[in-house]
Amino acid sequence: MATVSEFRICPTTGLKVHSAAEKLIKANAVVAVVFLAIGGLFGLMVALTRWQAVHLLPADWFYLALTAHGFDVLLAWIIFFEIAVLYFASAILLNCRLAAPKVAWAAFWLMLIGALVANVAVLQGGSSVMFTSYVPMKAAPHFYLGLILFAVGALLGVAVFFGTLVIAKEEKTYEGSLPLVTFGAVTAAIIAVYTIASGAIILIPTFLWSIGLVSHIDTLMYKLVWWGMGHSSQQINVSAHVAVWYAIAALVLGAKPISEKVSRLAFLFYILFLQLASAHHLLAEPGLSAEWKVFNTSYAMYLAVLGSMIHGMTVPGSIEAAQRARGFNNGLFQWLRKAPWGNPAFSGMFLSLVMFGFIGGISGVVLGTEQINVMMHNTLYVPGHFHGTVVAGTTLAFMAITYLLVPLIFRREVMFPKLAKIQPYLFGLGVLGISVFMMGAGTLGVARRHWDMNFADAALTFDYPPAAFLMMALNGLSAVMAATGGLIFIVVVVGSVLFGKKVEGKIDLTGGAAVAKYGSAGTLKIPGTAVLVAVFFTCFVLYYFVNWKYLSELWPLR
Amino acid sequence: MASPNKPGDDERVPFMQRLLDNPFLLLFLGVASPAVLYTIWGIMEIIQIPIAK
Amino acid sequence: MAIQPPESRLWWKEPVAKVELIWVIVAFLWGLVMFFMMIYWHAAGKQNISSEAYRVDPASYQKKAEELAEKYKTGERAGIPIVKPPAGSDIYLIARLWQWWPIFELEKGKAYRLHISSLDWQHGFSLQPVNINLQVHPGYDFVQTITPKDKGEYTIVCNEYCGIGHHQMTGKIMVVD
Ligand code: HEM
Ligand SMILES: [Cu+2]
Ligand SMILES: [Cu+2]
């Protein structure tokens, strides 16, 4: 049993904070941010290379940097931060001690060592295989070993999370059901188990193959199982950042879910179906039947998309309800105009929500449509799409909640408040550009992971249309903007954590005015959200059918 | 907070709520669903690809 | 609040607001529309990737492709044979580090059974500027029945990263009347 002295009471939220949990959250979050800095730098270099007029890196360095970028941001930054989110959503929100802190530290070190080993392997130059490492292209054995150590560590972290849930229940540290945010974290953790299991099933034989103990890895089988990890890990991100949206809406605005039942059902759809979408990556593959492709790529008849569309309404809806209860009742959108746009936690969260829906979400469904995929597979449309999900969506949401973790967990004031205030806008706008311009270039056929769209050294030459070069230049400019936003984030966070003024006593997250009681189903009024959702739906339907129109003009294929 | 003395307090918790309150059952479902529908079904299809004449 | 346990013990029994319910229904129906759209396109659309594929060992695939190329060779470009197979026939395209081989000359409006396979690593068949993109695996012969719609010179770009020569890997398909 933990003794009382291992806890402090948070003066702002009244939650009991377990000091071991707090230390682990700090460690994981700090390492995450460091990897974001490293990976973001690689991303900038990649983007500046693809800007043909700048063409920064030579070919071998470009492929190396792209491999490092993928690994450091997609795996290291995101998953370290997610482990922090899991500990926060379990130990802190449930007023509970963290299960087995020693195991949690072992998890931390395994992940860190694994990530460093993989980085060393990539930087040594012999493992520029992209983070997907499709066989039979071979990386150095320690590349796979690093990934495996990282995954084992992450699995331990997930186990600690589940252990904490058990303790909280046994020790009755909360009453009734789990808070919705914790339930979202449960969703993420469940998906993580499948993700990591898939990773182990495929990476361990691949490692053995790289040291000569296994003679052959089937390329299709590799892709099938690898994407069980690769895509599902994106679904961990979705679940985690949706949980973060709910958490920020609650902490900053005192918003409460408009319906526990509907929001939890939406998470249940994630648990059951989200991972099927790993098939998005196999739509252009030989040998898999149309039945398998259609069923899996549609998450079993789009039930997981339904989940996302629900969250896309209930999060802004809960914000609108909370704002209206505060008295911002004029017209359709006063609640939105009077939202705390100067608070980077809120603005980051709202931008994340909007861009994830409009950019990442819509493009993802279109890209994942069985037939339409043939016009986009492996073009820049793909990275365009997922910078809309995992950067505009997840990364921005995680940045936003960091602005709350700094005062609540690190107990430091956020330094450079003026910079912090503009940071989400700068980063958000930059990422919007990266996403849209890469998607545009992809529509024009430009290949992803490609050093030279001029084909200068190719025996048979080809010219992409001039518009494609323009897109890549705009992409480069947007990358500079996003990188600036990223740098400001790093400076503000690292500065605050190291040198920020210590926070004493209660802090004001909500900007005053506690929320009045509101919202039973009968009286709920969220007309503004209804309009936003209608606009979203119209865009979705139009964009979806426009792409079918394009498809119908393609050369016949069967 | 669960308020103790509301009417219907001793009412049985509905099935769906009990399901959603059980993380380990959800864990089982969340792993079994993609394991069967995506992974195993997919592996079956790959295994069945015929050999070229 | 979402960071606290639900207020009511039996939250499952709380009614759902009307706007929310409407949105759930609309979103669900839209999902069905998108799902059946894919099935409908299999019945009525002309652009459906076939899933026809065979396991093949790279050496025998190479042999088939070379035999075909020898039989119907009409010329050469940049050291790569230009091959004009009869309309409607099976044609074999090789992907290898870092080349698409051979160059095909196809007739507009005629269907061909295009086989694609790799002799080494994975490659990406990306036909430009049409923008048809298919994944190419070693050990698997992927068969598409493809009908060129317009005449002209088309380029095959490799869009699966395949090592340091990836960005030099181009090929051609010529479509004639
Ligand atoms: C300053 C911010 C960023 C910039 C400028 C940037 C830019 C780029 C560019 C230009 C590409 C290459 C596309 C290609 O040639 O195929 C790329 C790939 C990628 N980016 Fe980013 N990115 C940024 C942040 C992020 C973040 C935060 C994440 C993840 C959370 C991320 C995940 C990825 C992944 C997974 C790839 C694919 C790598 C691969 O093809 O193997 N990026 N990024
Ligand atoms: Cu290639
Ligand atoms: Cu390539």
Side-chain angles (χ1 to χ4, degrees):
Chain A
M1 275 288 319
T3 55
V4 181
S5 66
E6 287 174 19
F7 288 94
R8 67 177 175 90
I9 302 292
C10 173
T12 307
T13 58
L15 290 164
K16 261 170 79 187
V17 179
H18 184 217
S19 70
E22 195 173 38
K23 288 202 190 86
L24 277 153
I25 291 171
K26 287 182 187 172
N28 281 285
V30 165
V31 171
V33 169
V34 172
F35 277 109
L36 175 64
I38 301 171
L41 187 65
F42 281 121
L44 178 64
M45 293 195 288
V46 166
L48 290 180
T49 307
R50 298 222 57 170
W51 181 353
Q52 205 67 26
V54 178
H55 219 206
L56 181 70
L57 299 174
D60 51 348
W61 277 96
F62 170 78
Y63 293 123
L64 186 156
L66 189 51
T67 308
H69 174 60
F71 177 81
D72 283 336
V73 277
L74 194 71
L75 298 175
W77 144 247
I78 295 278
I79 295 182
F80 270 111
F81 201 91
E82 270 157 3
I83 297 288
V85 170
L86 289 185
Y87 295 164
F88 179 81
S90 55
I92 310 291
L93 291 186
L94 299 178
N95 289 298
C96 181
R97 67 190 168 89
L98 191 74
K102 287 214 178 86
V103 177
W105 281 111
F108 172 78
W109 287 109
L110 274 173
M111 284 172 67
L112 183 55
I113 293 168
L116 292 176
V117 169
N119 264 285
V120 168
V122 171
L123 289 173
Q124 282 170 334
S127 301
S128 298
V129 294
M130 305 296 133
F131 75 104
T132 45
S133 56
Y134 290 155
V135 295
M137 190 186 286
K138 208 182 265 177
H142 54 298
F143 175 80
Y144 305 108
L145 196 62
L147 292 184
I148 292 168
L149 291 179
F150 185 82
V152 172
L155 190 59
L156 287 180
V158 172
V160 168
F161 169 78
F162 280 111
T164 307
L165 295 185
V166 172
I167 293 176
K169 186 151 192 152
E170 271 176 4
E171 297 181 357
K172 299 209 167 45
T173 62
Y174 67 99
E175 264 181 90
S177 305
L178 293 172
L180 182 60
V181 171
T182 309
F183 190 72
V186 170
T187 305
I190 289 172
I191 297 177
V193 171
Y194 172 75
T195 302
I196 299 171
S198 300
I201 292 172
I202 199 62
L203 285 173
I204 292 172
T206 308
F207 167 67
L208 296 175
W209 167 76
S210 75
I211 57 175
L213 288 180
V214 166
S215 64
H216 176 76
I217 306 268
D218 183 271
T219 55
L220 263 179
M221 216 63 110
Y222 177 95
K223 268 190 116 168
L224 179 87
V225 184
W226 196 94
W227 281 110
M229 169 179 74
H231 200 85
S232 303
S233 81
Q234 306 321 304
Q235 319 297 22
I236 309 175
N237 303 343
V238 173
S239 313
H241 78 225
V242 172
V244 164
W245 292 344
Y246 281 113
I248 294 177
L251 285 166
V252 176
L253 292 166
K256 64 170 206 179
I258 46 186
S259 156
E260 293 280 354
K261 169 163 132 181
V262 173
S263 293
R264 281 169 207 249
L265 262 184
F267 278 124
L268 179 65
F269 289 142
Y270 281 4
I271 293 172
L272 296 176
F273 306 117
L274 202 50
Q275 304 151 78
L276 306 183
S278 308
H280 286 177
H281 299 267
L282 295 127
L283 296 176
E285 239 65 16
L288 292 156
S289 69
E291 289 82 359
W292 183 89
K293 285 178 179 171
V294 167
F295 181 81
N296 280 289
T297 198
S298 69
Y299 321 74
M301 310 220 275
Y302 291 103
L303 290 175
V305 172
L306 174 59
S308 287
M309 289 172 74
I310 290 174
H311 292 307
M313 153 172 249
T314 57
V315 174
S318 70
I319 292 172
E320 177 169 3
Q323 287 283 81
R324 284 184 186 274
R326 280 222 173 93
F328 297 124
N329 245 324
N330 279 349
L332 276 178
F333 290 117
Q334 190 195 26
W335 63 276
L336 194 57
R337 281 198 310 276
K338 297 283 181 184
W341 293 105
N343 176 344
F346 176 82
S347 61
M349 176 254 142
F350 210 86
L351 290 175
S352 159
L353 172 76
V354 171
M355 290 203 278
F356 178 77
F358 278 86
I359 310 290
I362 293 180
S363 67
V365 170
V366 169
L367 175 61
T369 301
E370 199 226 347
Q371 292 94 341
I372 292 176
N373 180 267
V374 77
M375 300 189 292
M376 300 165 174
H377 172 73
N378 268 355
T379 66
L380 273 176
Y381 193 93
V382 178
H385 147 69
F386 66 66
H387 283 76
T389 56
V390 79
V391 192
T394 311
T395 300
L396 197 48
F398 287 1
M399 286 175 165
I401 201 161
T402 305
Y403 290 114
L404 299 179
L405 293 182
V406 168
L408 289 175
I409 297 287
F410 290 90
R411 279 182 283 164
R412 304 281 188 162
E413 275 179 21
V414 173
M415 282 174 93
F416 315 116
K418 288 223 173 80
L419 280 178
K421 197 170 162 176
I422 57 163
Q423 188 272 333
Y425 298 99
L426 202 56
F427 186 77
L429 205 60
V431 175
L432 177 69
I434 307 184
S435 300
V436 170
F437 296 127
M438 282 204 274
M439 277 161 53
T443 311
L444 298 169
V446 182
R448 72 183 286 197
R449 300 173 161 177
H450 199 280
W451 179 68
D452 184 15
M453 62 191 283
N454 267 329
F455 301 99
D457 302 326
L460 300 162
T461 59
F462 172 63
D463 295 315
Y464 282 116
F469 287 85
L470 178 65
M471 294 281 178
M472 295 317 288
L474 293 171
N475 178 59
L477 288 172
S478 309
V480 172
M481 191 191 288
T484 313
L487 183 70
I488 293 177
F489 174 75
I490 311 277
V491 168
V492 169
V493 170
V494 173
S496 310
V497 166
L498 294 180
F499 312 110
K501 207 165 107 211
K502 286 223 164 62
V503 169
E504 317 273 352
K506 196 169 156 65
I507 38 177
D508 179 22
L509 296 172
T510 52
V515 187
K517 187 137 178 64
Y518 67 88
S520 65
T523 59
L524 183 73
K525 290 262 177 323
I526 48 170
T529 301
V531 170
L532 291 180
V533 163
V535 170
F536 169 80
F537 188 65
T538 312
C539 294
F540 194 170
V541 173
L542 287 178
Y543 188 69
Y544 181 76
F545 282 113
V546 162
N547 277 283
W548 279 106
K549 168 88 176 41
Y550 286 144
L551 182 74
S552 71
E553 289 158 6
L554 206 67
W555 290 5
L557 270 176
R558 70 191 142 80
Chain B
M1 297 293 130
S3 41
N5 291 318
K6 269 196 190 152
D9 206 36
D10 34 47
E11 218 180 309
R12 236 174 102 72
V13 177
F15 167 77
M16 279 307 287
Q17 182 171 335
R18 274 183 291 144
L19 170 72
L20 290 168
D21 278 348
N22 187 340
F24 291 95
L25 184 56
L26 293 175
L27 173 61
F28 171 76
L29 295 175
V31 174
S33 158
V36 172
L37 295 170
Y38 171 83
T39 312
I40 296 180
W41 183 6
I43 288 176
M44 300 290 286
E45 299 226 321
I46 294 175
I47 289 174
Q48 286 170 13
I49 297 176
I51 294 174
K53 292 159 274 150
Chain C
M1 289 205 298
I3 54 171
Q4 286 155 357
E7 279 166 31
S8 106
R9 191 181 73 97
L10 296 178
W11 45 263
W12 184 263
K13 298 209 159 162
E14 288 187 337
V16 176
K18 210 161 134 205
V19 262
E20 206 179 3
L21 199 62
I22 293 173
W23 177 236
V24 173
I25 292 170
V26 169
F28 174 72
L29 293 176
W30 172 235
L32 289 185
V33 169
M34 293 192 296
F35 181 72
F36 286 106
M37 190 64 203
M38 292 191 283
I39 295 172
Y40 163 77
W41 203 260
H42 273 283
K46 291 209 172 72
Q47 294 81 7
N48 290 289
I49 301 191
S50 108
S51 54
E52 186 178 351
Y54 303 94
R55 269 165 221 289
V56 68
D57 88 279
S60 56
Y61 185 86
Q62 182 175 8
K63 208 165 130 244
K64 273 187 204 165
E66 282 170 355
E67 278 168 12
L68 178 91
E70 207 161 310
K71 201 156 157 200
Y72 298 110
K73 179 170 168 175
T74 60
E76 216 176 79
R77 181 164 161 194
I80 302 171
I82 301 174
V83 176
K84 187 167 187 199
S89 66
D90 283 65
I91 63 178
Y92 294 83
L93 179 67
I94 288 176
R96 65 181 160 212
L97 301 171
W98 285 287
Q99 187 183 59
W100 299 96
W101 191 98
I103 296 170
F104 284 119
E105 199 174 294
L106 308 179
E107 280 175 50
K108 178 180 152 185
K110 299 276 163 53
Y112 294 83
R113 276 170 56 82
L114 171 65
H115 296 244
I116 318 177
S117 189
S118 163
L119 302 186
D120 34 57
W121 292 348
Q122 291 186 42
H123 298 279
F125 173 94
S126 176
L127 190 67
Q128 295 301 333
V130 194
N131 219 359
I132 290 177
N133 304 279
L134 302 165
Q135 188 77 16
V136 187
H137 284 255
Y140 290 98
D141 172 358
F142 195 7
V143 193
Q144 296 298 324
T145 303
I146 185 170
T147 313
K149 254 170 90 167
D150 306 289
K151 66 177 196 175
E153 178 179 316
Y154 296 90
T155 304
I156 312 169
V157 172
C158 180
N159 71 0
E160 182 56 77
Y161 171 65
C162 56
I164 193 63
H166 166 55
H167 48 272
Q168 299 163 13
M169 180 166 167
T170 49
K172 293 284 175 188
I173 289 181
M174 324 296 281
V175 179
V176 297
D177 270 324

